[in-house]
């Protein structure tokens, strides 16, 4: 990896051994640092700020409601700028360790209505109505690492790597870039309490994937968002940039998705394949609704990615098939053989809001809306 680009990264050149002196200072008993995290007005960016607590929180209800300047995050006008943070989920903080916490929040406007990019609010309502069906989600989060010039990490400055083929699940210094970040993120997520189920190098060099799940109901969105925060934060320590753009490089390079694996209790039971097929039939009749929910720009981002090439389906057509990676919905080979299991919706983009994706799936397949 040509290191000259990282030398320009302010975070990479700070001396981490010096930082260690301060991070090992004893602090007064009972003080807890809580980093409140929220989704900003773009619907993809994540923000966070930290406050001190005098107690160790166990439930989100115990935590104070807080606020921030929404005019600086695309979430409010300057003259009426306070946006409220309502804590909804608590995770262990893998950066500060100890009793320190990451606190995921929903955002509410001055009039206590959800902000435009608070997609969790209605997702919770759908999950509550659907809870007897025990909906499970497993999301494959793909992403790309960039240097400070926004060039994929390890790519030649004035040229391109060799064509795709050797990089997917690759090993070796000429196949994958910055595995350190992947390993650090994996461990940090497990420490935090996120149900990460695996990771792999992707088809485009500098592109990676990790999977979160299966998670029941709303927790898929909570866990995926916090895992994204942790990824940005780990990469920051290494002086590297993470992008969730679904098509970071034009041309013969794979895009990035967030394949969403989904099942209900009935699909997981003997003969559940019938339920899987029923769900696929309902999904086929709601293609447009799902495309609108599957990226933060209502389908515009996925237009660049869902071309029908590079292991994607066309954004304009719905299709389904066993083991077919060129379809909208894939039934994994093993599930077809077992006649039960789950389906994979391959359409969500890497920068999707998992609350919107999970809500659309539940409303279409369980609530019959
Ligand atoms: P792929 O073969 O498409 O690359 P992965 O192994 O990357 O699949 O991801 C599969 C995902 O499906 C994992 O997140 C896993 O937790 C999830 N999963 C497994 N079983 C179920 C299930 N019954 N319902 C929902 N998700 C599931
Ligand atoms: Mn995968
Ligand atoms: Mn993948
Ligand atoms: Mn997949």
């Amino acid at each position: 990896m040509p290191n000259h680009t990282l030398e320009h990264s302010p975070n990479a050149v700070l001396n981490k051994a010096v930082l260690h002196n301060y991070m090992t200072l004893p602090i007064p008993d009972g003080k807890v640092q809580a980093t409140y995290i929220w989704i900003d007005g773009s619907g993809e960016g994540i923000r966070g700020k930290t406050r001190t607590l005098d107690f160790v929180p166990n439930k989100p209800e115990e935590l104070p409601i807080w606020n921030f300047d929404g005019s600086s995050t695309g979430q409010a006008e300057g003259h009426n700028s306070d946006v409220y943070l309502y804590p909804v989920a608590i995770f262990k903080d893998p950066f500060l360790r100890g009793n320190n916490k990451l606190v995921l929040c929903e955002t509410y406007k001055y009039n206590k209505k959800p902000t435009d990019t608070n997609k969790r609010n209605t997702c919770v309502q759908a999950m509550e109505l659907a809870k007897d069906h025990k909906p499970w989600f497993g999301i494959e989060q793909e992403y790309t690492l960039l240097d400070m010039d926004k060039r994929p990490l390890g790519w030649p400055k004035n040229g391109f790597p060799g064509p795709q083929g050797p990089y997917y699940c690759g090993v070796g210094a000429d196949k994958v870039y910055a595995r350190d970040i992947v390993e650090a993120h994996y461990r940090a997520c497990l420490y935090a309490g996120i149900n990460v189920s695996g990771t792999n190098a992707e088809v485009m060099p500098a592109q990676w994937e990790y999977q979160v799940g299966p998670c029941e109901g709303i927790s898929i969105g909570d866990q995926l968002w916090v895992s994204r925060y942790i990824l940005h934060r780990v990469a920051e320590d290494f002086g590297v940039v993470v992008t969730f753009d679904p098509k970071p490089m034009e041309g013969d390079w794979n895009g990035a998705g967030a394949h969403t694996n989904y099942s209900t209790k009935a699909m997981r039971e003997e003969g559940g394949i019938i339920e899987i097929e029923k769900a696929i039939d309902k999904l086929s009749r709601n293609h447009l609704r799902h495309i609108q929910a599957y990226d933060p720009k209502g389908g515009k981002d996925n237009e660049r990615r869902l071309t029908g090439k590079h292991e994607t389906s066309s954004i304009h057509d719905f299709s389904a098939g066993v083991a077919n990676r060129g379809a909208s919905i894939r039934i994994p080979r093993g599930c077809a053989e077992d006649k039960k299991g789950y389906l994979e919706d391959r359409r969500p983009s890497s920068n999707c809001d998992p609350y919107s994706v999970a809500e659309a799936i539940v409303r279409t397949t369980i609530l019959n809306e």
Side-chain angles (χ1 to χ4, degrees), residues 140 142 168 200 202 209 259:
E140 304 166 49
E142 294 179 339
Y168 170 73
N200 58 269
E202 267 305 335
E209 168 181 315
H259 298 168

Side-chain angles (χ1 to χ4, degrees), residues 37-259:
I37 295 167
W38 70 95
I39 298 147
D40 73 15
S42 69
E44 348 178 15
I46 308 172
R47 312 282 178 128
K49 63 173 186 164
T50 305
R51 66 185 291 164
T52 308
L53 304 172
D54 295 324
F55 64 99
V56 183
N58 291 307
K59 290 192 242 129
E61 303 82 71
E62 297 167 5
L63 283 160
I65 291 169
W66 203 12
N67 59 56
F68 65 94
D69 167 18
S71 70
S72 300
T73 63
Q75 286 168 296
E77 304 288 324
H79 55 85
N80 197 1
S81 66
D82 277 3
V83 173
Y84 294 103
L85 292 169
Y86 286 37
V88 291
I90 303 177
F91 296 84
K92 285 172 70 180
D93 184 335
F95 306 103
L96 299 178
R97 305 184 184 212
N99 283 329
N100 301 302
K101 304 294 181 199
L102 300 178
V103 177
L104 182 70
C105 298
E106 280 191 42
T107 51
Y108 286 86
K109 294 189 275 202
Y110 64 94
N111 58 8
K112 309 283 163 79
K113 294 248 164 40
T115 64
D116 293 347
T117 52
N118 177 351
K119 307 294 185 193
R120 189 179 186 278
N121 180 266
T122 51
C123 185
V124 170
Q125 293 166 18
M127 292 302 170
E128 184 58 30
L129 292 170
K131 69 172 184 236
D132 292 346
H133 296 262
K134 303 210 175 305
W136 287 6
F137 302 88
I139 296 190
E140 304 166 49
Q141 178 67 67
E142 294 179 339
Y143 63 94
T144 308
L145 297 173
L146 306 175
D147 63 28
M148 290 298 285
D149 302 326
K150 302 286 167 83
R151 183 90 179 145
L153 202 66
W155 286 37
K157 273 281 149 245
N158 300 306
F160 291 89
Q164 295 184 158
Y167 310 113
Y168 170 73
C169 296
V171 279
D174 57 344
K175 306 289 191 305
V176 297
Y177 302 118
R179 192 188 296 276
D180 289 358
I181 293 172
V182 174
E183 300 290 8
H185 171 255
Y186 199 156
R187 285 297 181 99
C189 283
L190 290 175
Y191 175 92
I194 289 166
N195 183 20
V196 174
S197 43
T199 192
N200 58 269
E202 267 305 335
V203 174
M204 186 182 95
Q207 198 179 76
W208 294 87
E209 168 181 315
Y210 63 92
Q211 302 96 31
V212 174
C215 292
E216 190 166 321
I218 197 71
S219 67
I220 186 60
D222 295 347
Q223 295 203 16
L224 195 73
W225 274 114
V226 174
S227 77
R228 287 177 179 174
Y229 171 85
I230 293 173
L231 181 57
H232 281 301
R233 181 64 185 68
V234 166
E236 174 190 319
D237 280 351
F238 285 95
V240 170
V241 175
V242 174
T243 181
F244 291 105
D245 189 285
K247 192 76 177 184
M249 298 307 285
E250 277 178 36
D252 236 345
W253 303 106
N254 273 34
H259 298 168

